[in-house]
Amino acid sequence: AQRVTQPEKLLSVFKGAPVELKCNYSYSGSPELFWYVQYSRQRLQLLLRHISRESIKGFTADLNKGETSFHLKKPFAQEEDSAMYYCALRTADDKIIFGKGTRLHILP
Amino acid sequence: ETGVTQSPTHLIKTRGQQVTLRCSSQSGHNTVSWYQQALGQGPQFIFQYYREEENGRGNFPPRFSGLQFPNYSSELNVNALELDDSALYLCASSLGGSKAYGYTFGSGTRLTVV
């Protein structure tokens, strides 16, 4: 079965502390993974994709095929990071499967 | 360069009615996909259109149908509306055939079925 799991509905982190948003996937083929973010009252937008190996707004994510994970990390949280984060998988036939999302709340 | 625009932003319909939602894709994008996002859930894939043909479908019944036009804009039609169809409907566009690109999302249409 094709599935994306984000185990935490809500994650509260103090400003300046490290952040890790967990994402696990189930997919038989070679996955393409993304993180999308939705800030308050804004539309869903692409944060980063695993094939680019990029760092956006200080966030990075490494695809671990052995653990079927694509956790999102940032060493030092900032208040503007508060948002809803969705992990997503693109299948070989171009469907995108989203997780249920994790709300990240940065505490002052 | 314009982004993805959806209309209307909000809509209230009665159970059993039909609804059409519209989406204009980002300039240069030839692929449009539609998602249903229920409250507290992640977006669920409905279907995708590439160059006017459906090229992928999620687990939605046939009363969910769509169209893509030559200018790559798209419509989502839902017949025989049910209360559970109440959700935010998102449209996203991308440049098909290039695995390097993600999707650009619209703001969505919030549909309420009463």
Side-chain angles (χ1 to χ4, degrees), chain A residues 49-103:
Chain A
R49 47 203 179 226
H50 90 269
I51 57 173
S52 301
R53 295 189 153 273
E54 57 203 343
S55 172
I56 304 292
K57 299 184 180 183
F59 283 98
T60 58
D62 289 318
L63 178 62
N64 186 324
K65 291 187 179 180
E67 295 182 359
T68 60
S69 68
F70 188 58
H71 303 326
L72 183 67
K73 299 178 184 178
K74 183 169 181 175
F76 307 105
Q78 298 171 279
E79 287 191 59
E80 55 264 36
D81 296 330
S82 292
M84 195 75 187
Y85 291 80
Y86 293 96
C87 182
L89 164 79
R90 178 151 75 181
T91 65
D93 55 354
D94 261 349
K95 297 176 192 176
I96 291 206
I97 300 167
F98 282 87
K100 292 187 176 182
T102 298
R103 181 167 298 284

Side-chain angles (χ1 to χ4, degrees), chain B residues 7-23:
Chain B
S7 62
T9 54
H10 296 81
L11 199 53
I12 300 175
K13 288 286 191 177
T14 303
R15 191 170 49 181
Q17 284 188 311
Q18 178 266 342
V19 68
T20 298
L21 311 181
R22 295 180 174 81
C23 171

Side-chain angles (χ1 to χ4, degrees), chain B residues 12-17 81-83 86 111-114:
Chain B
I12 300 175
K13 288 286 191 177
T14 303
R15 191 170 49 181
Q17 284 188 311
L81 284 166
E82 301 177 1
L83 297 179
S86 295
L111 173 65
T112 303
V113 182
V114 297

Side-chain angles (χ1 to χ4, degrees), chain B residues 11 17 29 32 45 51 86 92 97 99 111:
Chain B
L11 199 53
Q17 284 188 311
H29 284 184
V32 172
F45 176 75
R51 293 186 173 178
S86 295
K99 294 295 187 182
L111 173 65

